[in-house]
Amino acid sequence: MDDDEIERVTLEIANQKQVSADQKAAVISEFYQMAMAKDYISTGGLEYAQNVLEKALGAEKAMDIINRLTTSLQVRPFDFLRKTDPSQLMNFIQNEHPQTIALIMAYLEPDQAATVLGSLPPDQQADVAKRIAVMDRTSPDVIREVERVLERKLSTLVTQDFTTAGGVKSVVEMLNRVDRTTEKSILENLEVDNPELAEEIKRLMFVFEDIVLLDDRSLQLVLRGVDTKDLSLALKATPKEVADKVYKNMSSRAADMLKEEIEFMGPVKIRDVEEAQQKIVNIIRTMEDKGEIVVSRGGKGDEMIV
């Protein structure tokens, strides 16, 4: 709340007299109904909220709550579309008139509208963009009619939250938690079946910042095979704990020289930093494959025998 709202609420609390049990129950009930109505609107839109409230409270009470809530919330047209996946939305509006598409896109969030615009046929993109640019006031009746038609089309989708599952990152997270034998077997099979996918997974499995997971002895062995120039570039933009881990496993003189080289290096391209980091990651993975170091993955089989 802003300062004025805080002041008004504080004043009301200070002036508050004794409240009867019936008044308290009525206020709490009203607050609950308004909160639920707001949730219904954000989940499925005005029509969905009204249908649910009518079944629970009756038509008159439902309309009263909706009117009060929409006034206070100032619900924007097409608000129910904000939980719809842009690709799904595109399927339903691509055959609409360009002016209708422009009207809908004008009320979407910029990122969502950009995705839809980019999915339109090239010859339609400029036309829709022009119509949005020159768009002025639109009759509320026209907006409501377009909303009604579109909401009916999307009725099976607007109450669902679209989630993304799977993907390369999901595989990487799983492989980072299995034992080394399982990981190696999966990657070897992938290298035969889909070499590009196998390489992408390998790149993501151990990132430069994961150096902090190496034990001191393993990191010292790694640093022996790393070019000083690559190391200074790799540490140019890295979290403090990563740099500290590296410095800790170098001699004081070598660490001081490395810090000095980084300090006087000046601005560098992000691409160069990432390439240097990837070189070091490749060294780590090669040494791990040869059994020269152990990379802890936090899963079974990582316990050390003394």
Side-chain angles (χ1 to χ4, degrees):
M1 293 188 292
D2 59 36
D3 292 343
D4 289 340
E5 290 172 327
I6 294 173
E7 186 176 334
R8 289 200 300 272
V9 170
T10 303
L11 185 60
E12 287 295 326
I13 294 173
N15 292 330
Q16 192 68 255
K17 307 297 181 184
Q18 186 172 1
V19 180
S20 67
D22 290 341
Q23 284 178 310
K24 283 191 287 187
V27 170
I28 292 172
S29 176
E30 181 183 0
F31 173 77
Y32 174 75
Q33 291 169 358
M34 296 287 281
M36 291 302 295
K38 182 178 178 181
D39 185 56
Y40 294 147
I41 289 175
S42 65
T43 302
L46 282 171
E47 188 175 335
Y48 170 74
Q50 187 170 340
N51 289 336
V52 174
L53 291 171
E54 283 180 358
K55 292 176 183 177
L57 306 172
E60 186 177 346
K61 182 68 173 176
M63 184 56 68
D64 177 57
I65 292 174
I66 290 293
N67 287 339
R68 289 166 59 194
L69 194 57
T70 51
T71 300
S72 63
L73 290 176
Q74 295 181 331
V75 177
R76 291 175 60 194
F78 305 105
D79 193 61
F80 64 94
L81 293 179
R82 285 172 179 75
K83 282 195 175 182
T84 304
D85 184 85
S87 61
Q88 295 288 341
L89 175 57
M90 186 59 206
N91 290 335
F92 284 92
I93 70 171
Q94 61 184 347
N95 295 322
E96 298 288 343
H97 189 278
Q99 186 63 30
T100 302
I101 297 175
L103 176 64
I104 294 167
M105 288 176 57
Y107 286 100
L108 296 178
E109 296 295 341
D111 288 344
Q112 196 178 25
T115 302
V116 173
L117 183 63
S119 301
L120 291 172
D123 60 331
Q124 202 175 28
Q125 291 174 347
D127 185 22
V128 170
K130 181 186 70 176
R131 290 171 185 272
I132 295 173
V134 301
M135 189 179 295
D136 197 2
R137 297 183 179 181
T138 305
S139 165
D141 292 336
V142 172
I143 292 176
R144 276 195 292 269
E145 179 60 21
V146 175
E147 274 190 299
R148 186 184 64 77
V149 173
L150 194 61
E151 192 167 9
R152 188 174 67 248
K153 285 184 177 181
L154 293 171
S155 60
T156 60
L157 299 173
V158 293
T159 57
Q160 303 175 25
D161 284 332
F162 289 89
T163 57
T164 301
V168 174
K169 288 188 177 180
S170 295
V171 175
V172 169
E173 289 177 2
M174 294 176 195
L175 292 181
N176 277 335
R177 287 165 173 77
V178 300
D179 60 84
R180 178 61 174 153
T181 303
T182 303
E183 174 207 310
K184 200 168 183 179
S185 173
I186 291 172
L187 287 175
E188 286 174 352
N189 281 290
L190 276 176
E191 283 170 351
V192 175
D193 186 57
N194 192 330
E196 291 182 359
L197 177 59
E199 187 58 35
E200 185 178 358
I201 291 173
K202 282 183 179 181
R203 283 200 305 269
L204 293 175
M205 280 199 63
F206 186 97
V207 296
F208 184 73
E209 286 75 12
D210 290 336
I211 276 180
V212 295
L213 302 177
L214 295 175
D215 62 85
D216 291 345
R217 178 182 172 279
S218 294
L219 181 53
Q220 288 163 18
L221 290 173
V222 169
L223 292 176
R224 291 178 190 173
V226 174
D227 184 273
T228 305
K229 184 179 178 181
D230 288 335
L231 187 57
S232 59
L233 259 177
L235 293 177
K236 180 67 177 177
T238 194
K240 184 177 182 298
E241 60 269 21
V242 177
D244 288 345
K245 175 81 171 181
V246 172
Y247 297 143
K248 173 188 171 187
N249 285 280
M250 303 174 71
S251 67
S252 299
R253 183 171 176 276
D256 289 341
M257 289 177 63
L258 183 60
K259 291 176 184 177
E260 187 175 332
E261 184 174 344
I262 294 172
E263 184 178 351
F264 290 101
M265 186 181 296
V268 294
K269 294 179 180 178
I270 294 177
R271 182 180 67 250
D272 293 338
V273 173
E274 291 176 345
E275 286 179 358
Q277 291 179 346
Q278 191 58 49
K279 285 181 182 178
I280 296 173
V281 168
N282 291 340
I283 291 173
I284 291 172
R285 289 198 61 80
T286 299
M287 294 180 70
E288 183 187 23
D289 288 338
K290 292 179 178 179
E292 296 173 356
I293 62 172
V294 175
V295 178
S296 173
R297 286 174 168 72
K300 292 181 180 179
D302 282 342
E303 296 85 356
M304 302 296 292
I305 300 175
V306 180

